Amino acid sequence: MIKIENLHASIDGQPILKGINLEVKPGEVHAIMGPNGSGKSTLASVLAGREEYEITEGSVTFEGKDLLDLGAEDRAREGIFLAFQYPVEIPGVSNINFLKTAINEIRKYRGEEPIPAKDFLKLVKEKSALVELDNSLASRSVNEGFSGGEKKRNEIFQMAMLEPKLSILDETDSGLDIDALRIVANGVNKLKSADNASIVITHYQRLLDYIVPDFVHVLYNGKIIKSGPKELALELEEKGYDWLKKDQVIEA
Amino acid sequence: MSEIATMNVKEQFLSTFGVQDFHFDTEASKAARNEATKRIEGLEFPTSKTEYWKYTRINRIVKAEYKIAESTTTIDITPFLIEGMEKNVMVFVNGFYRADISTITSQEGVIACALSEAKEKHADLFNAYFSKYLPTDEIFANINTAFHQDGAFIHFAKKQKADQPIHILNLVEGDQIITNPRNLIIGEAFSEGKVVTSYHNLNGGKSFTNAVNECFAAENSYLEFNKLQEEDGTSFHIATDQVQQEKSGNFTINTFTFNGDIVRNNLNIAVAGENGYTSLNGFYLPKEKQLVDNHTRVDHLVPHCESHELYRGVIDDKATAVFNGKVMVHRDAQKTNAFQANNNVLLSDDATINSKPELEIYADDVKCSHGSTIGQLDEEAIFYLRARGLSEDSAIRLLLNAFAADVLEHVGIESFRQLIEEKIENGLKK
Ligand SMILES: Nc1ncnc2c1ncn2[C@@H]1O[C@H](COP(=O)(O)OP(=O)(O)OP(=O)(O)O)[C@@H](O)[C@H]1O
Ligand SMILES: [Mg+2]
């Protein structure tokens, strides 16, 4: 589905990603872990199309298309979804209204008719129930005055509404209480299919108890320094990252 | 020829009005014209040294040549109609009333007629209110008083609630046309009414509209006055809006400026009765090299009143916006609540805003605040929306609509509000 090869990205001349290689196939869940500042959010942003980053080397193909050639909106329309680590508040823009616009622009891109109002409302009802998002939150301004947990839930609600092929969840578990974590994870699991895939960025094994990954990768200093099965996450939880960092120095 | 050459700018400008015949005017109106003419003799056009006009150079306005031209052509007004307000449209073309294309549906307790008609038919009201509180030292307001052609006279009788809002439609047809439209709006005690006045060009041309709107809101009246300025990008517009508000009245004025080479609004509100509620709002969207200048002044003369002012603008290209909002809380105006805000979004590096909120407080027990902000659109928000599949264009529109929403909520005429929303959307090219 997505193939990232030797991806290098920098901001203001400062290299952040230093040669990422990663392939995700349909139906797979990949977890990315790694210490603070290692470049996880940067990778997510680069994939979503944030323009501040300069791609200095490498390539990303998404379903056979050169992803780096597309603007952020076209990537979303192709089926990439980023659940932000820090969702922005947008006062005055209603969640529902913007989602309707989003859905219709995506449909238009795919040569489809706008969604009938009735179907849209049905979708909102169904998907907000999935993540147990209060109806009033769905119609409020985007994230404005939402609690940390509500913002994260809203991200998953939007993901459910847009039905992406590849979802990238950037620390969607941070700031969630146990119940919310379960709800969000359940939501993600229910949306899982053989045709879509996800990249789950997290610091905690806890989330991976719910969303079971097929692969776990460790990102450190802009590179994936280790990949393994889901058990790797447990090992990391136990031992931290230091043992890997040491390896890294030796390798270098 | 040599005589013309020696004329100064003011004489040259005023000579345009020589063709007007006020022979048929009422005595009271003629007297008002004469007094204004006399005052004009002692006044000059403002220069860059005139503090009140500091940011708005009017040279190009007053040095241009204009003509006065009554129009009798067939005009299709449908593009300018506001949905749901078609039953009460008073049409003025080049400043002259066009009864033939106007529609007035009679409403109990509402007078809506041409000012020229009111001068005779409602002489008592005209004589009592016309030009009553207008600033005597401002040359443009005086020029309007001296040379106004016509305008709307709207009167909401005591305890009458007008169900249908009234649309005053001002059209300019032709090139280099000058108009002095003059509206007089009176809300008697416990009355309720809503008015929209809009300004448009029919076909291009550097025209100049020098408007005066006088509003009187008697005790416990509820009056809403909306202005829509969307003349051609080559036209000039100077407006003086004079409001007198009495006890327990509720008065709202909303000013929307979409177009115009130079647009200047002088809004003066005297809150003269206790327990009044005043709301003054504006939204402006200048582009290219346009200039929009809103000078507002609220005088709190008595205690226990509340005023809320919110002006917002989106400034594009090389356009300039000026906001100068003065709130004067006079010595007797204890327990005043006065709030003022001006927020601006600059869409280009060459756009300019001069924002100057001014608060002068001479009473000690008041609650007042003011503030102004200048910013760009939130890039993070734009990226967020794009990451959900919205084009950059749609994302910007959504953000700007949200920005305008707080102003638009003060419009009590639903269809007019929607119209403005659309105009804001369309006004954002890109
Ligand atoms: N816009 C930016 N300007 C400057 N430096 C940046 C910018 N964005 C990211 N960085 C730097 O890039 C590095 C990687 O940041 P990133 O946010 O990708 O880390 P992360 O792995 O997501 O960390 P965390 O676990 O704390 O979320 C950090 O050192 C950060 O300071
Ligand atoms: Mg991060």
Side-chain angles (χ1 to χ4, degrees), chain B residues 194-226:
Chain B
K194 294 180 182 135
V195 176
V196 172
T197 181
S198 67
Y199 302 88
H200 322 259
N201 284 99
L202 278 172
N203 37 32
K206 297 183 179 185
S207 293
F208 174 29
T209 299
N210 178 40
V212 169
N213 297 299
E214 292 181 278
C215 297
F216 296 87
E219 66 174 284
N220 286 287
S221 66
Y222 194 107
L223 214 56
E224 178 182 320
F225 186 57
N226 295 284

Side-chain angles (χ1 to χ4, degrees), chain B residues 17-258:
Chain B
F17 304 113
V19 300
Q20 282 181 282
D21 178 11
F22 300 121
H23 183 77
F24 296 104
D25 222 359
T26 61
E27 288 309 316
S29 177
K30 270 193 261 189
R33 288 186 195 277
N34 288 337
E35 280 167 37
T37 307
K38 262 190 222 121
R39 284 193 296 266
I40 293 166
E41 282 170 23
L43 295 168
E44 291 303 329
F45 284 124
T47 65
S48 56
K49 293 192 192 82
T50 319
E51 183 64 27
Y52 190 56
W53 291 86
K54 199 160 100 185
Y55 295 106
T56 299
R57 307 290 158 84
I58 49 110
N59 265 346
R60 283 195 301 123
I61 303 180
V62 297
K63 282 189 175 158
E65 271 182 43
Y66 301 104
K67 54 183 183 278
I68 289 166
E70 195 161 355
S71 159
T72 52
T73 55
T74 315
I75 290 169
D76 177 18
I77 60 164
T78 44
F80 308 105
L81 294 178
I82 300 163
E83 203 190 307
M85 290 180 67
E86 303 91 339
K87 282 185 180 163
N88 287 282
V89 187
M90 305 177 68
V91 187
F92 296 85
V93 181
N94 293 355
F96 297 92
Y97 187 50
R98 285 285 298 268
D100 59 320
I101 46 174
S102 296
T103 310
I104 296 165
T105 307
S106 91
Q107 298 186 72
E108 203 184 332
V110 180
I111 303 168
C113 69
L115 188 69
S116 52
E117 189 184 328
K119 286 175 184 179
E120 308 228 12
K121 266 200 186 159
H122 308 286
D124 47 337
L125 289 169
F126 176 86
N127 298 349
Y129 289 104
F130 185 77
S131 215
K132 192 168 177 188
Y133 295 107
L134 215 55
T136 50
D137 56 348
E138 275 299 313
I139 190 164
F140 291 106
N142 278 308
I143 287 173
N144 181 289
T145 301
F147 305 111
H148 66 273
Q149 293 118 320
D150 212 339
F153 175 84
I154 297 171
H155 182 261
F156 301 107
K158 211 168 171 170
K159 294 189 181 159
Q160 286 295 334
K161 180 179 184 298
D163 294 323
Q164 299 167 23
I166 295 163
H167 182 187
I168 307 165
L169 175 56
N170 300 278
L171 301 172
V172 169
E173 185 187 45
D175 261 351
Q176 309 283 143
I177 302 293
I178 188 163
T179 61
N180 284 294
R182 177 70 169 238
N183 297 326
L184 179 56
I185 296 159
I186 303 162
E188 298 286 7
F190 296 91
S191 69
E192 200 178 318
K194 294 180 182 135
V195 176
V196 172
T197 181
S198 67
Y199 302 88
H200 322 259
N201 284 99
L202 278 172
N203 37 32
K206 297 183 179 185
S207 293
F208 174 29
T209 299
N210 178 40
V212 169
N213 297 299
E214 292 181 278
C215 297
F216 296 87
E219 66 174 284
N220 286 287
S221 66
Y222 194 107
L223 214 56
E224 178 182 320
F225 186 57
N226 295 284
K227 301 208 310 172
L228 164 58
Q229 298 169 316
E230 59 161 8
E231 285 141 313
D232 270 10
T234 50
S235 283
F236 305 118
H237 188 122
I238 293 177
T240 307
D241 305 306
Q242 193 69 32
V243 180
Q244 183 76 12
Q245 195 181 352
E246 303 301 339
K247 201 170 85 182
S248 303
N250 186 316
F251 181 83
T252 298
I253 180 164
N254 304 310
T255 304
F256 300 104
T257 310
F258 289 98

Side-chain angles (χ1 to χ4, degrees), chain A residues 11-12 16 35-42 53 85 171 203:
Chain A
I11 188 150
D12 303 329
I16 313 265
N36 295 131
S38 57
K40 303 181 299 293
S41 294
T42 302
Y53 298 96
Q85 182 174 5
E171 293 197 29
H203 286 292

Side-chain angles (χ1 to χ4, degrees), chain A residues 63-161:
Chain A
E63 305 238 277
K65 284 193 181 127
D66 180 359
L67 191 73
L68 301 178
D69 239 18
L70 302 175
E73 54 270 52
D74 284 345
R75 297 182 194 197
R77 294 163 182 175
E78 290 288 344
I80 288 187
F81 181 91
L82 169 62
F84 286 78
Q85 182 174 5
Y86 305 108
V88 287
E89 299 195 8
I90 316 183
V93 173
S94 114
N95 235 345
I96 294 295
N97 278 353
F98 111 80
L99 272 176
K100 194 167 182 188
T101 314
I103 286 180
N104 283 335
E105 292 201 18
I106 291 169
R107 288 171 78 113
K108 193 173 161 199
Y109 181 81
R110 297 177 183 163
E112 297 164 11
E113 289 296 305
I115 185 166
K118 231 169 117 190
D119 297 5
F120 178 76
L121 289 177
K122 211 178 121 214
L123 200 64
V124 169
K125 227 171 154 180
E126 189 187 311
K127 302 298 184 183
S128 54
L130 187 75
V131 290
E132 297 179 30
L133 185 77
D134 200 87
N135 258 332
S136 69
L137 288 183
S139 50
R140 256 165 53 183
S141 287
V142 181
N143 297 324
E144 191 188 21
F146 284 29
S147 74
E150 286 167 347
K151 282 182 188 166
K152 295 303 176 79
R153 236 187 266 196
N154 191 25
E155 293 293 286
I156 302 306
F157 165 64
Q158 292 178 30
M159 173 180 140
M161 290 292 290

Side-chain angles (χ1 to χ4, degrees), chain A residues 28-44:
Chain A
E28 290 179 350
V29 175
H30 289 241
I32 295 181
M33 304 182 81
N36 295 131
S38 57
K40 303 181 299 293
S41 294
T42 302
L43 175 62

